[in-house]
Amino acid sequence: MKLVVAPGVTHWPGYLDASAQSELVAALREIARAAPFFVPRMPGTGKPFSVRMTNCGALGWVSDERGYRYQPAHPQTGQPWPAMPPILMQAWRELSGYPHPPEACLVNFYEASARMGLHQDRDEQDFEAPVLSLSLGDTALFRIGGTQRGGRTVSLKLASGDALSFGGAARLAYHGIDRILAGSSALLPQGGRLNLTLRRVTPPPQLP
Ligand code: MD6
Ligand code: FE
């Protein structure tokens, strides 16, 4: 089932079934072994985020005192990010409607008290591709507005296995996570929520 939440915002509740969710959690354990979760910090102030992050794919999103950016290596180990697992490439092919592969997958881990303030995803060079997100574990209360801060917003719940795509008119919409509903899923033994966002960062190669 596919729900159009707003122009450019599409929600697929239960896109990943229970076995695909378990497979993805196993792949993420491998990714976190090679590229440990780190605590990102706000540009300028250095205030820590409440979520922990890692990445897979050719590029990874990082944030620290020097700013937000994509880079090819883990900020602490200096190692290249692990490859994107096939299940993520498949989700992109099935849902993104974009003909070139994703380059980055940001993995956010939320413990029960973590939140994500309203923000735009605008560090990519290419806004033609949507951002595709997959959620695992505890349900989150997600809020989306328009492309201007302070406008009307709508809320939706993102449960384990749900996919959400942000593109077209909504590609630069403000959005964030108000809170996590602790205990709403048994997928992760210690609780919490994982959110994966798949992105195209650079423009596709030009035909000669
Ligand atoms: C989250 N998601 O669900 C945060 N960004 O934890 C995002 O920030 C996000 O879900 C761009 C597109 C889809 C998203
Ligand atoms: Fe975002």
Side-chain angles (χ1 to χ4, degrees), residues 110 119 121 131 133 142 158 164 166 175 177 193 195 197:
Y110 295 74
H119 66 276
D121 284 27
V131 177
S133 105
F142 181 84
L158 293 179
L164 183 79
F166 253 68
H175 58 279
I177 296 291
R193 171 175 184 259
N195 176 260
T197 43

Side-chain angles (χ1 to χ4, degrees), residues 51 106 108 110 116-117 119-121 130-135 140 142 158 164-166 171 173 175-177 180 193-199:
V51 301
L106 171 64
N108 289 145
Y110 295 74
M116 174 85 68
H119 66 276
Q120 293 172 297
D121 284 27
V131 177
L132 178 65
S133 105
L134 296 171
S135 294
F142 181 84
L158 293 179
L164 183 79
S165 139
F166 253 68
R171 179 62 182 74
H175 58 279
I177 296 291
I180 303 300
R193 171 175 184 259
L194 288 161
N195 176 260
L196 289 72
T197 43
L198 293 148
R199 299 116 188 278

Side-chain angles (χ1 to χ4, degrees), residues 92-175:
W92 180 267
R93 281 194 307 274
E94 290 180 358
L95 303 182
S96 74
Y98 187 79
H100 304 281
E103 296 171 296
C105 175
L106 171 64
V107 183
N108 289 145
F109 177 74
Y110 295 74
E111 55 176 28
S113 61
R115 284 161 174 49
M116 174 85 68
L118 279 182
H119 66 276
Q120 293 172 297
D121 284 27
R122 52 180 296 170
D123 300 316
E124 301 73 29
Q125 298 159 32
D126 183 355
F127 295 141
E128 294 302 311
V131 177
L132 178 65
S133 105
L134 296 171
S135 294
L136 294 169
D138 286 338
T139 297
L141 217 47
F142 181 84
R143 181 193 293 271
I144 345 167
T147 55
Q148 310 273 65
R149 215 179 248 292
R152 199 179 63 90
T153 62
V154 298
S155 286
L156 68 140
K157 283 182 181 173
L158 293 179
S160 196
D162 287 11
L164 183 79
S165 139
F166 253 68
R171 179 62 182 74
L172 293 174
Y174 278 90
H175 58 279

